[in-house]
Amino acid sequence: MDTLLSIEGLTIGYKNGSKKVRVAGPLNISMKAGELVCLLGPNGAGKSTLIRSIAGLQDPFEGTVQIEGTLLSNLKPIEIATKLSVVLTDPVRSSNLDVYSLISLGRNPYSGWLGRLGKKDREIIRQSIAATHLEGFLDRKIGQLSDGESQKVMLARALAQDTPLIVLDEPTAHLDLPSRIEMMRLLHRLAKETNKAILVSTHELDLALQVADKIWLLKKDGTLDAGLPEDLVLNEVFEKAFEKNGILFDRESGTFNIHEEGQKSINLKGRGAAAFWTKRALVRNGFVVGEMNELPLIEVTTQATWIISTNSGRSECSSIEQLIGELRRLGTQ
């Protein structure tokens, strides 16, 4: 795969009066064609500042950004618009504009100051609409769309701009869960189908672990870890970056454990979805869960029944709710 974005020695920050405040860097990272990269990090780490610096919307303190081997600083604005397209979190102000017209604005870098669309422009617009499944929305006004629909329209405009690199800042910020999943899945598919490099700043760690080809994890100290999601998980990178009292990252499930450590121990035997969710319920109810054959022991059977073995005997439950109730009755909690 060709390297589309190359960042070397990049130090980013902002100005407070005449004083420069460094946020992160020096950073050395790159992106290849066909990759979906998710930029993660705690609040205040500088994700939006990095996005804006990569997009040429603000100057870095030091270092270089190259797109397809050309320094971003050497490009005119119209040339940058043919190299990268940007979707920010700012709401669309042209609420009376219809969907087709807004998507068509993506062709402005190529259509000249008159904005006339040629056959090639219309074909690229058509492909962008088809890729984002917006065929039924073209006559709708932007102000009539939901947040999720608006985000898809902005993505379609970025696709119509037909740049090798697309940069999105928090595209799922105002979406409900189904829309967040749909957006991240769409971005993953588009990276593969269009061979574009897509960079997404997001807080959706669970979704990023599933769809990202690479993750850039920007930390509070201004350093950045980059790599495959699975490698970062196994190397305990997420535990260190998000570590707070009582909130731990579970490498086995790829999620954060928000519950404090339990006070009573219990052993669990079983496999599959029933065992996984049984463990989740036990942890939530204050248990430390082990996997030894010692009492007290819960066995999850293949028939989705739960057998509790204690020093006083055995009992059987038909649901996790009944299991928790039985543990309370037995005095194990």
Side-chain angles (χ1 to χ4, degrees), residues 18 23 37 85 156 163 172 186 202 227-228 287 322 328:
S18 60
V23 173
V37 174
S85 47
T163 58
T172 61
L186 174 60
T202 181
L228 266 64
F287 286 95
Q322 187 181 1
R328 289 172 178 162

Short mmCIF file of all heavy atoms in Angstrom, two decimals, residues 18 23 37 85 156 163 172 186 202 227-228 287 322 328:
data_model
loop_
_atom_site.label_atom_id
_atom_site.label_comp_id
_atom_site.label_asym_id
_atom_site.label_seq_id
_atom_site.Cartn_x
_atom_site.Cartn_y
_atom_site.Cartn_z
N SER A 18 0.67 35.85 23.52
CA SER A 18 1.93 35.71 22.80
C SER A 18 2.66 34.42 23.15
O SER A 18 3.70 34.11 22.59
CB SER A 18 2.84 36.91 23.11
OG SER A 18 3.11 36.97 24.51
N VAL A 23 0.89 21.08 23.15
CA VAL A 23 -0.10 20.07 23.53
C VAL A 23 0.46 18.66 23.34
O VAL A 23 0.31 17.80 24.21
CB VAL A 23 -1.40 20.25 22.72
CG1 VAL A 23 -2.36 19.09 22.98
CG2 VAL A 23 -2.07 21.57 23.05
N VAL A 37 -8.04 4.72 10.02
CA VAL A 37 -7.29 4.96 11.26
C VAL A 37 -8.18 5.73 12.23
O VAL A 37 -8.77 6.76 11.86
CB VAL A 37 -5.99 5.75 11.00
CG1 VAL A 37 -5.31 6.11 12.31
CG2 VAL A 37 -5.05 4.94 10.12
N SER A 85 -10.05 16.08 2.23
CA SER A 85 -11.35 16.65 2.56
C SER A 85 -11.59 16.48 4.05
O SER A 85 -11.16 15.49 4.65
CB SER A 85 -12.46 15.98 1.74
OG SER A 85 -12.34 14.58 1.77
N ALA A 156 -20.78 12.29 2.30
CA ALA A 156 -20.98 12.21 0.85
C ALA A 156 -20.32 13.40 0.15
O ALA A 156 -19.73 13.25 -0.93
CB ALA A 156 -22.47 12.15 0.51
N THR A 163 -10.81 13.16 -2.78
CA THR A 163 -9.42 13.33 -2.34
C THR A 163 -8.89 11.99 -1.83
O THR A 163 -9.66 11.13 -1.39
CB THR A 163 -9.36 14.35 -1.19
OG1 THR A 163 -10.21 13.91 -0.11
CG2 THR A 163 -9.82 15.72 -1.66
N THR A 172 -19.41 10.75 15.04
CA THR A 172 -20.50 10.05 15.73
C THR A 172 -20.93 10.77 17.01
O THR A 172 -21.69 10.22 17.80
CB THR A 172 -20.08 8.61 16.09
OG1 THR A 172 -18.94 8.66 16.97
CG2 THR A 172 -19.70 7.83 14.84
N LEU A 186 -19.72 2.06 7.86
CA LEU A 186 -19.67 2.69 6.55
C LEU A 186 -18.26 3.20 6.24
O LEU A 186 -17.75 3.01 5.13
CB LEU A 186 -20.67 3.83 6.49
CG LEU A 186 -20.67 4.71 5.22
CD1 LEU A 186 -20.97 3.86 3.99
CD2 LEU A 186 -21.69 5.83 5.36
N THR A 202 -12.32 10.01 17.38
CA THR A 202 -13.53 9.47 18.00
C THR A 202 -13.28 9.11 19.46
O THR A 202 -12.13 8.92 19.89
CB THR A 202 -14.00 8.21 17.23
OG1 THR A 202 -15.19 7.71 17.84
CG2 THR A 202 -12.94 7.13 17.22
N GLY A 227 -0.64 1.62 16.17
CA GLY A 227 -0.50 0.21 15.81
C GLY A 227 -1.84 -0.45 15.59
O GLY A 227 -2.90 0.21 15.65
N LEU A 228 -1.80 -1.75 15.33
CA LEU A 228 -3.03 -2.52 15.20
C LEU A 228 -3.78 -2.51 16.53
O LEU A 228 -3.14 -2.55 17.59
CB LEU A 228 -2.72 -3.95 14.79
CG LEU A 228 -2.75 -4.27 13.28
CD1 LEU A 228 -1.66 -3.50 12.56
CD2 LEU A 228 -2.60 -5.77 13.06
N PHE A 287 -18.89 -9.58 43.03
CA PHE A 287 -18.09 -10.80 43.14
C PHE A 287 -16.77 -10.66 42.40
O PHE A 287 -16.68 -9.99 41.36
CB PHE A 287 -18.84 -12.00 42.56
CG PHE A 287 -19.97 -12.49 43.42
CD1 PHE A 287 -21.27 -12.07 43.21
CD2 PHE A 287 -19.72 -13.39 44.46
CE1 PHE A 287 -22.30 -12.53 44.00
CE2 PHE A 287 -20.76 -13.86 45.25
CZ PHE A 287 -22.06 -13.43 45.02
N GLN A 322 -32.48 -15.31 38.36
CA GLN A 322 -32.74 -16.29 39.41
C GLN A 322 -31.45 -16.69 40.12
O GLN A 322 -31.43 -16.91 41.33
CB GLN A 322 -33.42 -17.52 38.81
CG GLN A 322 -33.88 -18.53 39.85
CD GLN A 322 -34.54 -19.75 39.21
OE1 GLN A 322 -34.64 -19.86 38.00
NE2 GLN A 322 -34.98 -20.67 40.04
N ARG A 328 -28.01 -14.62 46.83
CA ARG A 328 -28.36 -13.79 47.97
C ARG A 328 -29.03 -14.61 49.05
O ARG A 328 -28.77 -14.45 50.24
CB ARG A 328 -29.28 -12.66 47.52
CG ARG A 328 -28.59 -11.59 46.66
CD ARG A 328 -29.57 -10.61 46.09
NE ARG A 328 -28.91 -9.58 45.31
CZ ARG A 328 -29.50 -8.80 44.42
NH1 ARG A 328 -30.81 -8.97 44.20
NH2 ARG A 328 -28.84 -7.87 43.77
#
